[in-house]
mmCIF file of all heavy atoms in Angstrom:
data_model
loop_
_atom_site.group_PDB
_atom_site.id
_atom_site.type_symbol
_atom_site.label_atom_id
_atom_site.label_comp_id
_atom_site.label_asym_id
_atom_site.label_seq_id
_atom_site.Cartn_x
_atom_site.Cartn_y
_atom_site.Cartn_z
ATOM 1 N N GLN A 34 2.556 10.297 0.812
ATOM 2 C CA GLN A 34 3.502 11.066 0.007
ATOM 3 C C GLN A 34 3.623 10.473 -1.383
ATOM 4 O O GLN A 34 3.669 11.172 -2.368
ATOM 5 C CB GLN A 34 4.862 11.096 0.700
ATOM 6 C CG GLN A 34 5.906 11.930 -0.065
ATOM 7 C CD GLN A 34 7.229 11.968 0.647
ATOM 8 O OE1 GLN A 34 7.384 11.385 1.707
ATOM 9 N NE2 GLN A 34 8.178 12.677 0.075
ATOM 10 N N GLU A 35 3.673 9.150 -1.479
ATOM 11 C CA GLU A 35 3.799 8.499 -2.780
ATOM 12 C C GLU A 35 2.570 8.757 -3.624
ATOM 13 O O GLU A 35 2.646 8.962 -4.826
ATOM 14 C CB GLU A 35 4.013 6.998 -2.598
ATOM 15 C CG GLU A 35 5.372 6.648 -2.022
ATOM 16 C CD GLU A 35 5.484 5.172 -1.714
ATOM 17 O OE1 GLU A 35 4.457 4.547 -1.421
ATOM 18 O OE2 GLU A 35 6.612 4.661 -1.767
ATOM 19 N N GLU A 36 1.391 8.780 -3.010
ATOM 20 C CA GLU A 36 0.179 9.024 -3.773
ATOM 21 C C GLU A 36 0.163 10.423 -4.339
ATOM 22 O O GLU A 36 -0.303 10.653 -5.447
ATOM 23 C CB GLU A 36 -1.039 8.814 -2.868
ATOM 24 C CG GLU A 36 -1.242 7.344 -2.490
ATOM 25 C CD GLU A 36 -2.414 7.173 -1.540
ATOM 26 O OE1 GLU A 36 -2.966 8.211 -1.099
ATOM 27 O OE2 GLU A 36 -2.761 6.033 -1.240
ATOM 28 N N GLU A 37 0.705 11.405 -3.594
ATOM 29 C CA GLU A 37 0.698 12.778 -4.076
ATOM 30 C C GLU A 37 1.610 12.944 -5.276
ATOM 31 O O GLU A 37 1.405 13.829 -6.099
ATOM 32 C CB GLU A 37 1.149 13.720 -2.959
ATOM 33 C CG GLU A 37 0.129 13.845 -1.835
ATOM 34 C CD GLU A 37 0.623 14.740 -0.722
ATOM 35 O OE1 GLU A 37 1.772 15.228 -0.838
ATOM 36 O OE2 GLU A 37 -0.129 14.951 0.236
ATOM 37 N N GLU A 38 2.608 12.069 -5.439
ATOM 38 C CA GLU A 38 3.557 12.202 -6.542
ATOM 39 C C GLU A 38 3.040 11.593 -7.825
ATOM 40 O O GLU A 38 3.603 11.796 -8.881
ATOM 41 C CB GLU A 38 4.881 11.540 -6.157
ATOM 42 C CG GLU A 38 5.603 12.284 -5.016
ATOM 43 C CD GLU A 38 6.845 11.558 -4.589
ATOM 44 O OE1 GLU A 38 7.056 10.422 -5.074
ATOM 45 O OE2 GLU A 38 7.604 12.101 -3.776
ATOM 46 N N LEU A 39 1.954 10.827 -7.744
ATOM 47 C CA LEU A 39 1.420 10.217 -8.940
ATOM 48 C C LEU A 39 0.813 11.289 -9.830
ATOM 49 O O LEU A 39 0.166 12.219 -9.346
ATOM 50 C CB LEU A 39 0.331 9.186 -8.585
ATOM 51 C CG LEU A 39 0.826 7.904 -7.927
ATOM 52 C CD1 LEU A 39 -0.359 7.060 -7.512
ATOM 53 C CD2 LEU A 39 1.717 7.120 -8.871
ATOM 54 N N PRO A 40 1.005 11.215 -11.177
ATOM 55 C CA PRO A 40 0.412 12.200 -12.075
ATOM 56 C C PRO A 40 -1.093 12.065 -12.097
ATOM 57 O O PRO A 40 -1.630 10.971 -12.048
ATOM 58 C CB PRO A 40 1.032 11.842 -13.449
ATOM 59 C CG PRO A 40 1.366 10.399 -13.332
ATOM 60 C CD PRO A 40 1.766 10.183 -11.890
ATOM 61 N N VAL A 41 -1.773 13.202 -12.162
ATOM 62 C CA VAL A 41 -3.237 13.195 -12.189
ATOM 63 C C VAL A 41 -3.707 13.904 -13.443
ATOM 64 O O VAL A 41 -3.301 15.024 -13.723
ATOM 65 C CB VAL A 41 -3.795 13.919 -10.946
ATOM 66 C CG1 VAL A 41 -5.315 13.943 -11.007
ATOM 67 C CG2 VAL A 41 -3.321 13.217 -9.679
ATOM 68 N N ASN A 42 -4.586 13.246 -14.204
ATOM 69 C CA ASN A 42 -5.168 13.858 -15.386
ATOM 70 C C ASN A 42 -6.569 14.325 -15.028
ATOM 71 O O ASN A 42 -7.474 13.518 -14.837
ATOM 72 C CB ASN A 42 -5.244 12.864 -16.551
ATOM 73 C CG ASN A 42 -3.866 12.529 -17.060
ATOM 74 O OD1 ASN A 42 -3.013 13.392 -17.127
ATOM 75 N ND2 ASN A 42 -3.649 11.272 -17.414
ATOM 76 N N HIS A 43 -6.749 15.653 -14.885
ATOM 77 C CA HIS A 43 -8.035 16.187 -14.486
ATOM 78 C C HIS A 43 -8.920 16.408 -15.696
ATOM 79 O O HIS A 43 -8.461 16.533 -16.826
ATOM 80 C CB HIS A 43 -7.844 17.534 -13.767
ATOM 81 C CG HIS A 43 -7.020 17.417 -12.521
ATOM 82 N ND1 HIS A 43 -7.509 16.853 -11.375
ATOM 83 C CD2 HIS A 43 -5.740 17.782 -12.263
ATOM 84 C CE1 HIS A 43 -6.568 16.890 -10.441
ATOM 85 N NE2 HIS A 43 -5.487 17.445 -10.962
ATOM 86 N N THR A 44 -10.216 16.449 -15.447
ATOM 87 C CA THR A 44 -11.170 16.779 -16.492
ATOM 88 C C THR A 44 -11.972 17.974 -16.037
ATOM 89 O O THR A 44 -12.037 18.292 -14.859
ATOM 90 C CB THR A 44 -12.122 15.604 -16.778
ATOM 91 O OG1 THR A 44 -12.795 15.260 -15.562
ATOM 92 C CG2 THR A 44 -11.349 14.404 -17.296
ATOM 93 N N GLY A 45 -12.658 18.633 -16.959
ATOM 94 C CA GLY A 45 -13.426 19.811 -16.609
ATOM 95 C C GLY A 45 -12.542 21.034 -16.537
ATOM 96 O O GLY A 45 -11.323 20.940 -16.467
ATOM 97 N N PRO A 46 -13.156 22.244 -16.582
ATOM 98 C CA PRO A 46 -12.377 23.488 -16.575
ATOM 99 C C PRO A 46 -11.428 23.609 -15.409
ATOM 100 O O PRO A 46 -10.268 23.974 -15.569
ATOM 101 C CB PRO A 46 -13.478 24.563 -16.533
ATOM 102 C CG PRO A 46 -14.680 23.904 -17.118
ATOM 103 C CD PRO A 46 -14.598 22.462 -16.688
ATOM 104 N N LYS A 47 -11.896 23.322 -14.152
ATOM 105 C CA LYS A 47 -11.012 23.456 -12.998
ATOM 106 C C LYS A 47 -9.848 22.486 -13.077
ATOM 107 O O LYS A 47 -8.712 22.822 -12.747
ATOM 108 C CB LYS A 47 -11.801 23.218 -11.711
ATOM 109 C CG LYS A 47 -12.747 24.347 -11.350
ATOM 110 C CD LYS A 47 -13.427 24.071 -10.021
ATOM 111 C CE LYS A 47 -14.369 25.209 -9.643
ATOM 112 N NZ LYS A 47 -15.059 24.936 -8.357
ATOM 113 N N GLY A 48 -10.131 21.255 -13.493
ATOM 114 C CA GLY A 48 -9.064 20.267 -13.586
ATOM 115 C C GLY A 48 -8.028 20.655 -14.599
ATOM 116 O O GLY A 48 -6.825 20.499 -14.380
ATOM 117 N N VAL A 49 -8.467 21.176 -15.764
ATOM 118 C CA VAL A 49 -7.527 21.603 -16.800
ATOM 119 C C VAL A 49 -6.655 22.736 -16.295
ATOM 120 O O VAL A 49 -5.449 22.763 -16.515
ATOM 121 C CB VAL A 49 -8.297 22.040 -18.068
ATOM 122 C CG1 VAL A 49 -7.342 22.704 -19.058
ATOM 123 C CG2 VAL A 49 -8.972 20.838 -18.709
ATOM 124 N N ILE A 50 -7.262 23.692 -15.572
ATOM 125 C CA ILE A 50 -6.489 24.811 -15.043
ATOM 126 C C ILE A 50 -5.443 24.326 -14.051
ATOM 127 O O ILE A 50 -4.283 24.733 -14.088
ATOM 128 C CB ILE A 50 -7.422 25.847 -14.372
ATOM 129 C CG1 ILE A 50 -8.256 26.559 -15.443
ATOM 130 C CG2 ILE A 50 -6.622 26.871 -13.571
ATOM 131 C CD1 ILE A 50 -9.317 27.479 -14.884
ATOM 132 N N ASN A 51 -5.835 23.424 -13.148
ATOM 133 C CA ASN A 51 -4.879 22.905 -12.171
ATOM 134 C C ASN A 51 -3.772 22.124 -12.836
ATOM 135 O O ASN A 51 -2.596 22.211 -12.447
ATOM 136 C CB ASN A 51 -5.598 22.019 -11.148
ATOM 137 C CG ASN A 51 -6.426 22.844 -10.167
ATOM 138 O OD1 ASN A 51 -6.147 24.011 -9.955
ATOM 139 N ND2 ASN A 51 -7.443 22.234 -9.596
ATOM 140 N N ASP A 52 -4.099 21.325 -13.869
ATOM 141 C CA ASP A 52 -3.070 20.603 -14.614
ATOM 142 C C ASP A 52 -2.107 21.589 -15.254
ATOM 143 O O ASP A 52 -0.894 21.388 -15.276
ATOM 144 C CB ASP A 52 -3.711 19.732 -15.709
ATOM 145 C CG ASP A 52 -4.135 18.375 -15.174
ATOM 146 O OD1 ASP A 52 -3.740 18.054 -14.038
ATOM 147 O OD2 ASP A 52 -4.850 17.664 -15.878
ATOM 148 N N TRP A 53 -2.669 22.674 -15.818
ATOM 149 C CA TRP A 53 -1.806 23.665 -16.472
ATOM 150 C C TRP A 53 -0.890 24.317 -15.452
ATOM 151 O O TRP A 53 0.282 24.545 -15.698
ATOM 152 C CB TRP A 53 -2.657 24.725 -17.169
ATOM 153 C CG TRP A 53 -1.787 25.648 -17.959
ATOM 154 C CD1 TRP A 53 -1.367 25.498 -19.230
ATOM 155 C CD2 TRP A 53 -1.179 26.851 -17.468
ATOM 156 N NE1 TRP A 53 -0.539 26.532 -19.567
ATOM 157 C CE2 TRP A 53 -0.405 27.376 -18.518
ATOM 158 C CE3 TRP A 53 -1.210 27.518 -16.261
ATOM 159 C CZ2 TRP A 53 0.315 28.544 -18.398
ATOM 160 C CZ3 TRP A 53 -0.488 28.693 -16.132
ATOM 161 C CH2 TRP A 53 0.263 29.192 -17.198
ATOM 162 N N ARG A 54 -1.441 24.629 -14.265
ATOM 163 C CA ARG A 54 -0.610 25.239 -13.225
ATOM 164 C C ARG A 54 0.558 24.330 -12.861
ATOM 165 O O ARG A 54 1.688 24.790 -12.684
ATOM 166 C CB ARG A 54 -1.462 25.518 -11.982
ATOM 167 C CG ARG A 54 -2.478 26.643 -12.164
ATOM 168 C CD ARG A 54 -3.488 26.622 -11.042
ATOM 169 N NE ARG A 54 -4.433 27.731 -11.144
ATOM 170 C CZ ARG A 54 -5.628 27.737 -10.555
ATOM 171 N NH1 ARG A 54 -6.021 26.693 -9.859
ATOM 172 N NH2 ARG A 54 -6.427 28.770 -10.683
#
Side-chain angles (χ1 to χ4, degrees):
Q34 182 179 0
E35 290 174 331
E36 291 177 354
E37 290 178 359
E38 293 176 352
L39 289 174
V41 178
N42 291 321
H43 299 286
T44 58
K47 288 183 179 179
V49 170
I50 290 173
N51 286 336
D52 274 349
W53 186 88
R54 290 166 177 159

